[in-house]
């Protein structure tokens, strides 16, 4: 680790000291360190365009957290400039190849799918030092922007690109400026359909979240629930069961290992910025049907 940067020295020290790394107050100071092979960008979303451009100008490969900007223009700009400059970039869409993804794919050629992932309340962002997440102009949105990309990305990969998308957003439970619950229905030209439900509607709890996943396809019907209990029933009616790890936190370790393993190949096989653009166009598109209800 060559450097850890955050405007708050206490934050950067908390991450840097266990790694024996120096701290930096500015992005430029961090990037002036020698020997940087890859940068990880987890800054506030409205700062991602400027940071991404700095990395592209310096030719430094980077990992950038979704949504890679505060709006679609930011994201498209980073994708285009990185592509034209041939600077490798990837995005931690960590549900790809994860236990949930693998289990659902047992259904074969998936025709119908439902994915629900409801995390803790938005107030946690004030407690953990990220209040900007609750300001739409700075974050780019609420639960759909934040949690939705993982599962919209899976839906696209499982079903194909949708031709019809309906989206509903609500602020009724917590009354914040960002949505605390959202539902998307994605349908393809062949009649395949995915329902994606995400939210900040779960209480503060050691359980952390509610989640539920189902997929129906040519090989059968797959399910996963909050406790990781999973079943797959094949077309002959035979059911098998398993217990999966549904916590997404460990998936980031797997992703970082993948980044290290593919650094010399330009992150071959990892999610691309172009794929993130495809996903965020569905989430951020101004042409989608949107409703917001306040309590």
């Amino acid at each position: 680790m060559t450097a850890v940067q955050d405007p708050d020295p206490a934050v950067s020290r908390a991450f840097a000291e266990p790694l024996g790394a120096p701290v930096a107050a500015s992005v430029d100071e961090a990037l002036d360190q020698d020997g940087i092979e890859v940068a990880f960008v987890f800054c506030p979303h409205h700062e991602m365009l400027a940071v991404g451009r700095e990395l592209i100008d310096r030719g430094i490969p980077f990992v950038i957290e979704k949504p890679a900007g505060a709006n679609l223009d930011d994201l498209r700009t980073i994708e285009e400039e990185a592509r034209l400059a041939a600077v490798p970039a990837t995005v931690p869409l960590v549900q790809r190849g994860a236990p949930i993804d693998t289990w659902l794919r047992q259904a074969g050629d998936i025709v119908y799918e439902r994915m629900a992932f409801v995390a803790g309340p938005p107030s946690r962002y004030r407690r953990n030092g990220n209040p900007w997440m609750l300001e739409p102009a700075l974050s780019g949105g609420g639960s759909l922007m934040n949690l939705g990309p993982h599962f919209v990305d899976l839906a696209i990969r499982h079903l194909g690109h949708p031709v019809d998308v309906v989206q509903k957003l609500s602020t009724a439970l917590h009354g914040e400026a960002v949505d605390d619950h959202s539902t998307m229905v994605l349908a393809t030209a062949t009649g395949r359909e995915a329902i994606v439900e995400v939210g900040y509607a779960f209480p503060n709890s050691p359980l952390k979240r509610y989640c539920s996943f189902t997929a129906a396809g040519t090989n059968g019907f797959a399910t996963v629930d909050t406790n990781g209990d999973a079943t797959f029933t094949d077309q002959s009616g035979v059911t098998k069961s398993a217990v999966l790890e549904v916590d997404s936190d460990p998936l980031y370790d797997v992703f970082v290992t993948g980044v290290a393993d593919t650094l010399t190949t330009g992150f071959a096989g990892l999610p691309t910025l172009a794929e993130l653009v495809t996903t965020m166009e569905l989430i951020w598109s101004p042409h989608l049907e949107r409703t917001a209800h306040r309590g």
Side-chain angles (χ1 to χ4, degrees):
M1 185 69 68
T2 56
V4 176
Q5 183 273 330
D6 190 274
D8 185 340
V11 172
S12 54
R13 283 196 299 270
F15 285 97
E17 288 177 358
L19 301 169
V23 300
S26 70
V27 172
D28 282 339
E29 182 184 348
L31 296 181
D32 285 340
Q33 303 290 322
D34 292 330
I36 296 177
E37 295 178 305
V38 60
F40 287 79
V41 182
F42 298 105
C43 61
H45 300 165
H46 67 290
E47 298 175 1
M48 284 179 161
L49 177 58
V51 174
R53 280 179 150 170
E54 181 68 23
L55 291 164
I56 293 165
D57 288 345
R58 293 174 181 250
I60 298 173
F62 61 96
V63 177
I64 189 165
E65 174 66 3
K66 46 76 186 162
N71 52 61
L72 203 50
D73 286 343
D74 285 0
L75 170 56
R76 284 172 170 161
T77 299
I78 292 175
E79 188 280 327
E80 180 180 21
E81 293 185 2
R83 172 167 41 83
L84 293 177
V87 175
T90 185
V91 183
L93 294 172
V94 296
Q95 290 293 345
R96 288 193 187 185
I100 291 168
D101 182 15
T102 301
W103 190 264
L104 294 179
R105 285 181 181 272
Q106 291 181 103
D109 193 8
I110 297 174
V111 178
Y112 306 124
E113 184 169 64
R114 185 182 69 83
M115 296 179 281
F117 192 94
V118 182
S123 58
R124 72 186 189 278
Y125 290 111
R126 292 192 178 91
R127 292 195 306 272
N128 66 19
N130 295 289
W132 58 269
M133 279 289 287
L134 305 182
E135 299 184 43
L138 305 184
S139 65
S143 63
L144 184 59
M145 170 281 303
N146 186 28
L147 304 175
H150 293 292
F151 306 108
V152 174
D153 175 69
L154 287 189
I156 293 170
R157 293 170 65 81
H158 291 174
L159 304 182
H161 196 282
V163 294
D164 182 60
V165 179
V166 176
Q167 141 187 150
K168 302 288 187 179
L169 290 81
S170 177
T171 62
L173 184 60
H174 294 288
E176 296 281 359
V178 299
D179 55 280
D180 54 45
H181 187 270
S182 55
T183 303
M184 290 184 71
V185 181
L186 304 95
T188 72
T190 57
R192 299 165 191 259
E193 183 177 273
I195 299 171
V196 175
E197 176 197 359
V198 294
Y200 297 150
F202 200 77
N204 283 315
S205 163
L207 191 57
K208 295 170 67 173
R209 76 190 67 77
Y210 162 82
C211 63
S212 176
F213 306 89
T214 65
T218 53
N219 292 345
F221 193 89
T223 74
V224 185
D225 70 17
T226 297
N227 296 324
D229 293 335
T231 65
F232 173 67
T233 302
D234 66 24
Q235 295 293 6
S236 69
V238 175
T239 299
K240 68 176 183 179
S241 301
V243 178
L244 307 183
E245 175 59 78
V246 297
D247 188 353
S248 57
D249 291 350
L251 301 178
Y252 290 88
D253 289 344
V254 176
F255 179 80
V256 170
T257 298
V259 168
D261 290 343
T262 60
L263 182 57
T264 59
T265 63
F267 308 131
L270 296 185
T272 67
L273 282 172
E275 290 169 330
L276 180 63
V277 169
T278 297
T279 292
M280 295 309 299
E281 283 175 339
L282 300 177
I283 290 172
W284 272 336
S285 172
H287 304 297
L288 297 179
E289 178 185 351
R290 295 173 181 264
T291 60
H293 304 288
R294 292 191 177 275

